[in-house]
């Protein structure tokens, strides 16, 4: 049997979890820039506001990235599995993808990045 204090603690705990979820994993905010890394070095920071294609030289060869309508994605890479290409478009602050064999990664920079294991 739960006491009154037990119920209060339970309700406060549920409210806290709901608030934490809404605050850290809730509303996504669009990113304005993308950070492109080659290995551990920053290659460049690009604006997502103008449509263009970027070629980035990695350890296996050149990867091609596309920026369109505030989003960015890998469109081609010399790796075998092409998981980077299949990851699709990135557009929200904190999103991340990488071509691990070619050592190229993209992170979306926004005003309010999402909370996840990468930026924790």
């Amino acid at each position: 049997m739960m006491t009154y204090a037990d119920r209060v603690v339970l309700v406060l705990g549920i409210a806290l979890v709901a608030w934490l979820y809404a605050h850290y994993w809730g509303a996504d905010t669009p990113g304005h820039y993308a950070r492109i890394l080659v290995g551990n070095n920053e290659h460049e920071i690009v604006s997502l506001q103008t449509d263009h294609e970027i070629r980035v030289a990695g350890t296996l060869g050149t990867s091609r990235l596309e920026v369109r309508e505030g989003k960015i994605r890998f469109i081609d890479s010399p790796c075998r599995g092409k998981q980077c290409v299949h990851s699709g478009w990135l557009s929200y602050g904190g999103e991340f993808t990488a071509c691990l064999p070619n050592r190229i990664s993209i992170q979306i920079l926004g005003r309010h990045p999402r909370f996840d294991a990468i930026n924790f």
Side-chain angles (χ1 to χ4, degrees), residues 59-117:
T59 57
L60 296 178
T62 301
S63 292
R64 291 182 17 222
L65 312 174
E66 178 183 18
V67 177
R68 185 171 8 125
E69 299 174 4
K71 302 179 283 191
I72 189 169
R73 69 175 177 162
F74 280 92
I75 54 175
D76 189 35
S77 197
C79 59
R80 261 198 307 174
K82 307 279 188 214
Q83 292 299 318
C84 53
V85 175
H86 298 301
S87 66
W89 292 101
L90 304 175
S91 60
Y92 296 109
E95 287 185 319
F96 179 87
T97 191
C99 180
L100 294 178
N102 206 20
R103 297 186 46 100
I104 296 174
S105 60
I106 305 170
Q107 179 185 14
I108 302 298
L109 305 174
R111 183 172 293 158
H112 303 290
R114 295 178 71 184
F115 180 81
D116 63 15

Side-chain angles (χ1 to χ4, degrees), residues 1-17:
M1 181 109 170
M2 288 179 52
T3 67
Y4 177 74
D6 292 337
R7 289 186 200 131
V8 169
V9 169
L10 180 64
V11 168
L12 289 175
I14 291 171
L16 177 64
V17 168

